[in-house]
Amino acid sequence: MPNLESHTEARKRVRLSRAQRKYRILAAALVEALVEFGARGLEGASTTTIAQRAEPSQTGLHAHFKSKEDILLSLLTEILLPAHNAFETANALQPNA
């Protein structure tokens, strides 16, 4: 007979911190925001479209990001700049070919 207690434990939701939720929303919205900003530019980009494609609610998106400018700034500072720096470091460590 299956252990109901372990099944219940497995179904419990883990409570994420605000920073962890923000990062998950940012990660989910990353591709969609880049596509939206790339296709429409900052002025034409829509947080509604980003939210619909990334699947947080519009309210959930705005709970973490005040504006589309805030989303773009977060993408740059929290995702793209660290990734760029990691690539630069990796390239600097490689011997010249």
Side-chain angles (χ1 to χ4, degrees), residues 19-87:
Q20 289 170 320
R21 283 192 312 274
K22 181 176 180 174
Y23 188 81
R24 282 203 177 170
I25 290 171
L26 178 65
L30 174 63
V31 171
E32 299 310 329
L34 289 175
V35 169
E36 183 71 5
F37 290 135
R40 303 185 195 303
L42 182 60
E43 292 300 316
S46 162
T47 57
T48 301
T49 301
I50 294 168
Q52 287 171 344
R53 289 181 179 167
E55 296 184 15
S57 67
Q58 181 76 8
T59 303
L61 189 68
H62 283 290
H64 297 285
F65 304 102
K66 296 175 187 172
S67 65
K68 59 187 168 186
E69 292 83 3
D70 190 29
I71 295 170
L72 182 59
L73 181 61
S74 292
L75 287 170
L76 293 171
T77 60
E78 296 179 30
I79 304 292
L80 298 177
L81 186 58
H84 171 75
N85 291 340
F87 284 121

